Amino acid sequence: KPPRQSGPRSCTRQGSGAPVPGAGATIFALSSGQGRCGIAVIRTSGPASGHALRSLTAPRDLPPARSACLRLLSHPHSREPLDRALVLWFPGPQSFTGEDCAEFHVHGGSAVVSGVLQALGSVPGLRPAEAGEFTRRAFAHGKLSLTEVEGLADLIHAETEAQRRQALRQLDGELGHLCHGWAKTLTKALAHVEAYIDFGEDDNLEEGVLERANSQVRELELALSAHLRDARRGQRLRSGAHIVVTGPPNAGKSSLVNLLSRKPVSIVSPEPGTTRDVLETPVDLAGFPALLSDTAGLREGAGPVEQEGVRRARQRLEQADLILAVLDATDLASPSSRSFLDTVVVPAGAGSPSENSQRLLLVLNKSDLLPRGGPDLSPHLPPHLLLSCLTGEGLDGLLEALRKELAEVCGDPSTGPPLLTRARHQHHLQGCLDALSHYKQTKDLALAAEALRLARGHLARITGGGDTEEILDIIFRDFCVGK
């Protein structure tokens, strides 16, 4: 695992070569959140940043680089005082974007922020930044790779501990370093193949050149295949695992959804068939993101509206990453409970999921209504958890079981190799693997070399090399203005 970088990022990294929209202009924006706050951060990036800083501050000398100084901010034309603020000067290339940057740490009232932004807008050569433009400039100047840009976007949007850990790992460059290592392996293999093409008849060429290239390609194929078998864990970690709560009517599904989400998402009623549509709510379960779906009770013979709800419930079951199957612990012998066990729980393999089956946790609700001498449950029941949504007894055990299941579904962001968090990562890794397959099949060495170049191009596109302009707008659109 590569060491984490500390301090300013090295300026020796080669730029991405991607064009910067409005290159040459100096941009400014509010980088902290909107709304009233104690401190607001406004920053600029571009060649006129130093001029803007001198125009708004008195005295007009630039502060020492990367040192905070208290200055009075005034309008550059009227010299009307705007605020007393901390200002920082980051001369390029030792800055976030690689350009000259300035920051104004002002008081967070809306009038102060608006006044400073208007003053900056009056400085010649400055314009408001577009969404994600600061980060796009950092990418264009080689301060961040494309995977690090995506990690930064994920970190800004992270809502759970698992998402934060994964985003930090990607921002630290772990996925990028892994792809660069793979690309280096391909470069060596390509060099061996081309050496054989150019000097194959030369007695000075050492033996086993092609064998070494083939060995390197085989090792890389194994590594790529292992990553492509991650079953979309990284994407689930970014967007949330889909958990569907299902069961017969009146088993306590809506009560469980309310208990896990800690708010009254679903209507709870003793009347069967209360929930007739799919109700979804995002939740944080043991640090993992999840989309919790409350569904209609599965039964036959209901009215047309409820039957449509049952149809939608069965459709969601097919799409679920994890099923929470809920039964009434006091009503296990009823036809509806037995039918649910036979048609949903047993086929999914509760407690022991295979590679091709869905993951399922069986929850027996209303444990508070069981006899005091202990539950008299059938020994033929699949592995299950006892719970009382009324008293909360058994909730800790359920949350621990959910944590283990979600760690399998989403992957553990604290350990193991970097996860593939976007569909484009999988697309390019699959393209690389396909190119390596063509390399193994072809008998023509020139075509084999071309296959290795194609494979290396797919790896380069993951980190931002090659022709990536068509996806940059989509990626940087995820950022707010000022980042």
Side-chain angles (χ1 to χ4, degrees), residues 295-351:
T295 60
L298 302 182
R299 65 171 176 176
E300 303 296 336
V305 175
E306 189 175 346
Q307 279 304 301
E308 174 61 20
V310 171
R311 186 193 67 79
R312 295 185 182 188
R314 296 189 185 279
Q315 187 179 48
R316 290 302 173 94
L317 278 178
E318 297 174 359
Q319 304 167 355
D321 298 315
L322 174 63
I323 298 172
L324 272 181
V326 185
L327 284 174
D328 185 343
T330 65
D331 192 37
L332 296 177
S334 66
S336 60
S337 294
R338 291 201 303 270
S339 173
F340 179 75
L341 283 169
D342 293 338
T343 58
V344 177
V345 177
V346 173

Side-chain angles (χ1 to χ4, degrees), residues 384-425:
H384 56 271
L385 297 161
L386 284 174
L387 173 71
S388 171
C389 289
L390 180 64
T391 66
E393 184 179 1
L395 179 60
D396 290 342
L398 174 59
L399 289 176
E400 177 60 21
L402 284 170
R403 185 193 65 78
K404 293 179 180 178
E405 291 291 333
L406 289 173
E408 290 292 328
V409 169
C410 300
D412 188 345
S414 302
T415 60
L419 298 172
L420 306 177
T421 56
R422 282 168 167 76
R424 74 174 196 91
H425 300 164

Side-chain angles (χ1 to χ4, degrees), residues 31-101:
S31 290
S32 52
Q34 297 286 343
R36 187 167 52 190
C37 56
I39 300 294
V41 179
I42 298 170
R43 64 171 162 177
T44 70
S45 179
S49 291
H51 174 62
L53 186 53
R54 284 191 295 264
S55 297
L56 268 68
T57 58
R60 298 193 177 190
D61 295 333
L62 290 175
R66 288 170 291 279
S67 296
C69 294
L70 183 64
R71 296 285 174 88
L72 176 67
L73 302 186
S74 304
H75 195 281
H77 301 312
S78 66
R79 306 314 304 171
E80 177 187 1
L82 299 172
D83 192 19
R84 192 172 293 277
L86 286 178
V87 297
L88 293 98
W89 168 239
F90 300 95
Q94 292 286 356
S95 67
F96 172 71
T97 63
E99 303 174 325
D100 288 346
C101 294

